C-alpha cells in the first residue's frame, strides 16, 4: 500500500519542508517527494493516510488531491473485482 498526494510545491524550499516533515513522522517505511511532478508518495508501515495528510498539510502546502494505492487490489481486479473492492475497503 502507498499513499499518493498531488502537492503544490513551487521551489526546493517547499519540497524540503515536506521532506523534513515526513522524515519526523513515525510509521513510514519510505517516501519520495518530487518537486517537478509536484507529487509525494509515501509507503507506510503503520502511519494512516490521515496522519500523513495532516503532516503534509501542517507544512502549509496545498494538497490538491490524494489517494491510497493498493497494488494487491489492483492485481485482484483483473481476476475478481469483488476481491479488489474488498481489499480497498479494508
Amino acid at each position: 500500500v502507498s499513499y499518493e498526494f498531488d502537492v503544490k510545491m513551487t521551489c526546493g524550499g517547499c519540497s524540503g519542508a515536506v521532506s523534513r516533515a515526513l522524515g519526523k513522522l513515525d510509521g513510514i517505511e519510505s517516501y519520495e517527494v518530487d518537486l517537478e511532478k509536484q507529487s509525494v508518495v509515501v509507503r507506510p508501515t503503520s502511519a494512516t493516510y490521515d496522519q500523513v495528510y495532516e503532516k503534509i498539510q501542517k507544512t502549509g502546502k496545498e494538497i490538491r488531491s490524494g489517494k491510497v494505492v493498493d497494488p494487491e487490489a489492483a492485481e485482484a481486479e483483473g481476476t475478481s473485482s469483488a476481491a479488489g473492492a474488498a481489499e480497498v475497503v479494508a
Side-chain angles (χ1 to χ4, degrees), residues 71-85 87:
E72 291 177 14
E75 287 176 20
E77 279 184 26
T79 55
S80 169
S81 59
E87 291 279 344

Side-chain angles (χ1 to χ4, degrees), residues 47-66:
T48 66
Y49 176 89
D50 288 338
Q51 288 171 324
V52 175
Y53 187 99
E54 286 175 18
K55 195 69 163 178
I56 295 171
Q57 196 173 42
K58 283 183 181 177
T59 66
K61 305 304 161 217
E62 176 189 347
I63 301 172
R64 293 183 281 225
S65 66

Side-chain angles (χ1 to χ4, degrees), residues 37-54:
K37 292 180 183 175
Q38 308 251 317
S39 69
V40 178
V41 178
V42 177
R43 283 168 282 296
T45 52
S46 61
T48 66
Y49 176 89
D50 288 338
Q51 288 171 324
V52 175
Y53 187 99
E54 286 175 18

